[in-house]
Each structure stands twice: as structure tokens, then as C-alpha cells.
Amino acid sequence: MSEHRRKPPQPQGGGRAARRGQPGPPSGRPAAPRGTNGASDHSYGSHSQGPDSYGSGGDGREYGSRAEARRAAQRGGGRRRGADNAPSGRGRGHDQGPPGKPRFIDYPRVGKYGWHRWVPSWRLVTGLGLGFVGSLVVMAGVGYALVGIPNENAAAESQNNVYYWGDGTQMVATGTGVNRQNLTIDKIPKAMQYAVISAENKSFYQDSGVDPMGIARALANMARGGQTQGGSTITQQFVKNTYLSQDQTLTRKFTEMFISLKVGTKLDKNDIMRGYLNTSYYGRGAYGIQAAAQTYYGKDAEDLTPSQCAVLAALLKGPTYYDPAGNADLDKTATEEANTARSQGRWRWILGEMHKDKHLTDADYQQAISKYPTPQGRKATRGMNGQVSYMVDTAKKYVLNHSAITEAQFDKGGYQIYTTFQKAKVDALSAAVKKIQKSRLKPETEDKDKYVQFGAASVVPNDGAIVALYGGDGYENGHFTNNADTSGVPVGSTWKPYVLAAAMQDGTYNSNGEGISPLSKYNGNDHLKVRRPDGSYYLNKDNSFFFQANESNHPWGYITLRKAMEQSINTPFVQLGVDVGMSKVRDMARSTGILEGSMAKDLNPSFAIGTSTPSAIRMADSYATFAASGKQVDPYSVTMVKKDGQELPGFTKPKSKQVMDSSIANNVTDVLENVIQNGTGTNAKALGRTAAGKTGTTDENKSAWFVGYTQQLSTSVAMFRENPKDHRLLSMNGTAGKDSIHGGDIPTSVWTEYMLAALKGKNDPGFPDAIKIGKIHNEVGAPTPTPKPSITATPTPTESSSPSPSESTTSPSPTESETCRFFCNGNGNGGTGPGGADGGISSSPTDSTSPGTGGVRGNSNAGTNAGDDGGLFGGQASQ
């Protein structure tokens, strides 16, 4: 029954009162007419009324209107309308409280039914709104009263950052405590003040210190889960610079707002401007305008020109991206070229705004805009000498990429950074480079020996700890690029193990996805066309056939992949990569720890022979995956960070993960052992212990690599020449008096010299045995071997270093060394030959140039954003 439907009139004397044993109204007394006392046909009076009670208080008075009846009901003289005819559970006592006692908040609303009960009255809405606003006013008043005005002198109190070796002893203490000096406003050029006003806060002299719209945008963005946005006034930025907490929270944002309001009303605008310019971060560890002037122009702030002021004002937008010297170690997009372009663009815009705002006369503007005032280069800071500078750089990037700490916060100091670097190994690696440099290179007299550089890194397999690196000649010698953690140097034939591993894991289109054996045979001759899986051939841009070249024209014929790796022959691995699928080769390399951002984008045939440009750190870590039987761990350089005695989160040791079957990894190791024993890496035999490795040389001899490992240590060494002006790679043909430099020469010598010292006194655990894996699936078109008669005693042809002419068209059987090494883990005698000089990279058959073959070096990041090791350790940006 509807809750609004009336009940039928009750008979005289037979109503509910009668059923409850209570007397009803006298039968001779007529009921009050409807409308006279606010009642309906049946009684709405109180159940406790006497016989004469038809109105309020039982006085028998009739009410003249419904309003009077309602008032009487509210005084307790009658039942509220709807009490008797409400459905079960809706009478008095349900949602209404005791009779005569109104509720403080009428919600759900009394006397309303259905959805009407849940619609708040305008009185309730207004009251709540006023209460909320009042609470905000009270909170704002309390907040305004409690916050204090920041002191720029307190903000100037910075500390050193202290770095520790892996054994806990101190490596170096470096920071910005000596690189800040507060100036009075009269020592800060007007041009600098106007530059930041025109660029960041044109209403500075008129506003109250707070930008309501900017705060609203920041709060809305935080509510959506994003980062806070810009739009702050100079006053707010001054407060932010001097406010101790940099947490991006609502509490901090409100506190910043209250402080800014107080600063805007209590401090003179000149004091605010002075505080802002004295506490801002300009990059390169420089806090404050005086430190920035000395760092970038070698002069006092008061001597800056308007044009130079505009350059420094541009830095305030973000020194990582507006320092013309570049910050590719922190972000691969912040190269010297890109940063210079950004700096010049903003410098030009700021000067235009200053002119538009009448802060520069026409003559001054024309003079300022006539020539971009290039800042001076970076300088070494105290304690940043030798390899320490590169280790600090690597560790800093790792910290920034694994925490919420900003570069500006970090450079304020006060952090204790515990690293993985081992001093003895770092010294040994540096000594190995210097020894080989001194004995083989003469840059003072030989032009081809000039500008030769090395980069190297050493990582613990199945752990990821970077124990040593070589980044260059040192900051003190003007070399600020960390060669151990830089990209842009193609790795050449050191990429071939990934092709082989992918073939053993995923097979080829010819094997129907079944993994193939390293004893599968491919054509090793020079100048071969590359066949697509559909039978067609790769073409050049002019539709002529693309031919893959080797280092020499030696006619190898059909040889095993094991032999091709031993002699670093290109043609078998290029065709194998196509047969496997370059995307699977890429996936294999990525699974071992190579960052995708450092890989060549074009998956053309040349991808198989090393057009990619990983860092030395990443190559050492990647090969460590083979050493650890397929277990990969991201490289790391920091084990713990402390601030104010508290350990900060985010620096737990990376976890090990099995990324490939152990049998695949062990077979790759077995093949790479043979490279050292019988192939292009024989110089590494001087180590005198079980080791595996691969040489690499690139097209036009622009770089040479050796990456090798034992079970205890994986180390990579890169060698290249670089134009110091534009950082483009130069050919090493003629370097060290050689027609060309190969990975098996100088890089392998450096590797061996270092590993001898690093592993001195250590045992030689060898490697796990490589069990037979996959089936032999020869290249399409390979001749089928002729069965040998059982009665013949003719020797089996071998893959010698100087095969007979017929061997280029026949398919010789594997030598004893190949089969026994594979199944018996013994030492064979594959020999060396003219095909082994690491091959080199051929030109790409596609329209686009293969990345890294002659480009400009830069830094790759993990995710992003990162440097390769430092913080990109991984997608991290490595480290």
C-alpha cells in the first residue's frame, strides 16, 4: 500500500483507541470539521488526550487555520500529520526523535518520504557551506600566524656529500658549501633582476606574492596524481628555495602559500628579489647569482652584462636542459648541441621580453642580442680528480634515478653515499689503460694517435655490482664525459653472441622455431647477398643487390657458427640474424640487460653485427649474464644513502632473474672460450685462466671493443677516436702504427692487464660444462654432405685457416676440436686465419643510416631518463 494513501474513516467509538481499551470521543459530540484543527477525517490529536481534547491542551478550542494547527502540534498539543497513517516503521520514534524535541540537523528530513527525505534543505546546505568557509578562514588564520619568514642565510648553509668505497672507507667529500655567497641587492645588476621579472613574473611589483591560478593548477594536477606544475611567483619560488621540505604534498603546498602571503606583505620587494637570486640553483653545483657568475663567466655578478644575465636567467628554467655544456649524463636528450639550442632560444626570448617591458632601451637591446655570450666550459671541483670524478658522476646518477631527490636538493649536500667501487680494482683498471696508452700511442708526434679515448667497466656476475670503471682522463684534464657510461660508440662484433643465443633459443624460419646447434653451417664467404625468408634479397636504395662484406675476402665456404664466431666472420651472422628475426635478436640482447634506448632502431641486416651503442657498463653487465648461466642482474653502483643519520629508501640490491635457459648461456660461453683459445681474442690467453670473450671492430675502424669474463668478473673495454669539437667519431686507421685497430689488439691487451691484477690470488673455477643443445639446421642452400664410405681411410676435411679452393663450394665436416669442444669441453685447435679481424660493419641496405656508425656520442638512459649506468641502470637508467 502506498505510504501516502489515506485510511478509511474509523467508526465512532470503534477506532484504535477503542481497540487499545481507551475511551474515544463521546458519541454525541461531533468531530471537528476538517481544516479547523489541522486534522483530516480521523483524529490527528494526541493518543493521551481526554474525551474533550480535540485541539491543543484539551481545552476544546478549534483552530482557525492549518498554520495554527501545525504550531500547536509543534508545542506537543497534537500529533504531527502523517504519524497515524505512515507505513510501519515511519511513525513517531522513527527518524523523528522524541516529541517536542527538534533535531539539531534535520537530515534525513522529518515529514518527508521517499527520495524527498534525502534532499537537504537550503538551510542545511547554506549552513554547511558557511561552516566550511569559516573553517578554512580559521585554518588560514592559524596557518598564517604560525609560519615564519624564511632566511636566505639559513638556506646558504649547505654541506658536503660524502662518498664511500665498497669497503666503507671514505672516497671523497664534495659539495657546494664553498660555492655560495649572498649579495646585497646593490651588487646584483638591474639587468639580472629585470631578466627574471620579464621571464617569470611580470607582475612581481604589483602582486601579493601568490598566484592563485598557479596554485589551483598545481593542486588540480596533484589531485589527478601528477606532479606539481609551474606558474609560481618569484616570491613563491624564493619560499620554495628556502623551505626545508621539498615534498610534493598538499600540506607543503598550503604551507608554502601561507609563507608566501606573509613574505609578500612583510618583506620589501627588493628583499624578496635579493633572496630569490641568492638561493636559486643555476646548475654545475652553483647556488646563488654570485656563484653562477663565477662558474659560467669567471666574473663577479655585478660585472655581468645584460646579455649574460639573460643566459643565467634561462638556466633558472632548468639547468639540466639549458646549460650549453650539456648534461647528457643525467638525460640523453640534454646533449651539448640540444642544450645550446635551447639556451640560445630562451636567451633571445628573454631579451625580447625585457625590451618589450621597457627594461632595455633600443640601443641596449641591439647590443645585447648581437652575439650570444657563450659560457665557459666545466671545471673540476675540489677532490674530483682522476677516476673519482667518474665514479661520483655514476653514483650521483644512480641516486637521482632511484629516489625522489632532485639534483638541486642533492647538490645542497648532507648525503652519505655508499658505493660498490673497489679501490684496488679501480686503480688496476686505470693503470692498465695508462700502461697500454704509454707503450702503444704517441699523441705528441703522431696525428693518428691524437684524440684516442678509452672507456671500461667491470661488473660482478650474478650480482650486478660495478666494482671498477674507467671514464677518461679526468675532469682536471678537461674530460667531463664519462666514457664508461656513454652511448654513441658502436659495439661491432661483440653483438654476435646475441644472434647466436637467439638462434639457439628460438631457431630459424628454416627450423620451424626449433633451436639450432652452434654446429649449424652458414656460408662464410665475402661479398654475399642477404636472403630474406621469402627467398628475395635485400636491395640498396638504387634497387641494386645489397652485399654483405667481411674484413677479408678469404673463401671460407660453409662453416659452422662456432667457427664463424671464432674468426668473427660477418656473413654467417648477418644471414643468421635474418633467419632468426632481428626482433628476436633485439629481445635477446634486451633480456641480458642492454637498454632498448641504446639499440639501433633499424632492424636491418647490419643490426646483427653491432650497429647498436650500449655503454661499457651495460656491455660488461650483459656478458655477465652468460657468465652466470643465464641469470641477469641490473648493474648498480650504490648500496645505501643516508641523510641526517637516516637510511633513505630505494637502494636495495637488484634481484637476479633467469632470462635464458642455462644450457643456452653455457653454450654461448663455450663458443666464446674458443674465441680466446683459437680465434680473434688469443691475446687474452695471457690471463692464464679459464675465460670467455668476444672482440669487436666497427665500420671504418671508428671503434674497437673487447668484452670478456670469468665466473668472478665481467669486464668490457672500448677504444675510439673522437673529434673534440663536434664529438664525432674518427677512423683509427693508422693509429698505433697499424693499418687498422681491432678489438683483439689494444682493447684485449688492456682487458688482460686489468684482469691479471683484479683476479690475482683468486682461484679458477672455470665454467659449467656445455651440454649438447639444438639440432643442426644449415643455411638454406647449403650443400648436403656426401656420406663417407665405411671402407675409406681418407681424412675428413677440416675448417682450416687456409682452405683449398674447393672448400668454398663444399661443406666440410666439423673438425675434432669443434665436436669435442662442444661435447667434451676440451681444448681444440681451430686455428686462426685471415677472416678474423672482427669483420666490421657494412653499410645498411635500407634508406636510413645505421645509428652509431659515424654519429655523435651521447648518453643513453634508462627510462627514463636516464644515464646508462647512473640512474639509468635500468630503465632505470642504469647504474
Side-chain angles (χ1 to χ4, degrees), residues 132-324:
F132 178 73
V133 172
S135 299
L136 290 181
V137 171
V138 172
M139 290 171 58
V142 173
Y144 185 85
L146 292 179
V147 297
I149 296 177
N151 186 340
E152 68 195 81
N153 293 315
E157 296 175 359
S158 59
Q159 307 174 56
N160 285 332
N161 287 325
V162 182
Y163 294 82
Y164 297 90
W165 292 102
D167 62 2
T169 58
Q170 183 172 317
M171 177 196 303
V172 66
T174 182
T176 61
V178 298
N179 199 18
R180 187 204 293 265
Q181 178 182 346
N182 289 339
L183 298 180
T184 56
I185 193 65
D186 60 296
K187 297 293 185 181
I188 301 175
K190 280 290 185 182
M192 188 66 203
Q193 301 176 45
Y194 289 137
V196 296
I197 290 173
S198 292
E200 302 180 28
N201 186 190
K202 291 179 181 291
S203 63
F204 172 68
Y205 286 112
Q206 293 80 39
D207 62 42
S208 62
V210 173
D211 177 10
M213 294 304 298
I215 293 177
R217 286 194 303 271
L219 294 178
N221 197 46
M222 279 193 294
R224 292 193 298 266
Q227 296 180 347
T228 55
Q229 298 177 335
S232 298
T233 64
I234 286 176
T235 304
Q236 287 175 271
Q237 292 179 60
F238 166 50
V239 170
K240 190 182 301 183
N241 289 345
T242 54
Y243 192 59
L244 296 180
S245 172
Q246 294 296 320
D247 296 333
Q248 302 296 330
T249 62
L250 290 175
T251 301
R252 202 225 69 176
K253 199 67 183 175
F254 276 116
T255 306
E256 176 190 311
M257 179 181 66
F258 293 142
I259 296 177
S260 299
L261 286 171
K262 178 169 283 190
V263 168
T265 58
K266 298 292 185 181
L267 290 186
D268 182 80
K269 290 293 185 180
N270 283 340
D271 293 332
I272 296 173
M273 176 62 69
R274 183 200 68 229
Y276 172 59
L277 293 176
N278 278 334
T279 58
S280 292
Y281 183 63
Y282 296 82
R284 303 192 193 180
Y287 275 89
I289 184 61
Q290 175 65 11
Q294 289 290 345
T295 298
Y296 288 90
Y297 290 108
K299 60 171 64 175
D300 290 333
E302 61 182 331
D303 297 326
L304 292 170
T305 66
S307 189
Q308 292 170 337
C309 288
V311 172
L312 297 183
L315 290 169
L316 296 176
K317 188 172 178 65
T320 298
Y321 303 99
Y322 289 87
D323 181 354

Side-chain angles (χ1 to χ4, degrees), residues 765-782:
F767 294 112
D769 289 340
I771 61 174
K772 180 180 179 180
I773 187 172
K775 291 186 177 180
I776 295 177
H777 285 278
N778 297 332
E779 176 186 1
V780 172

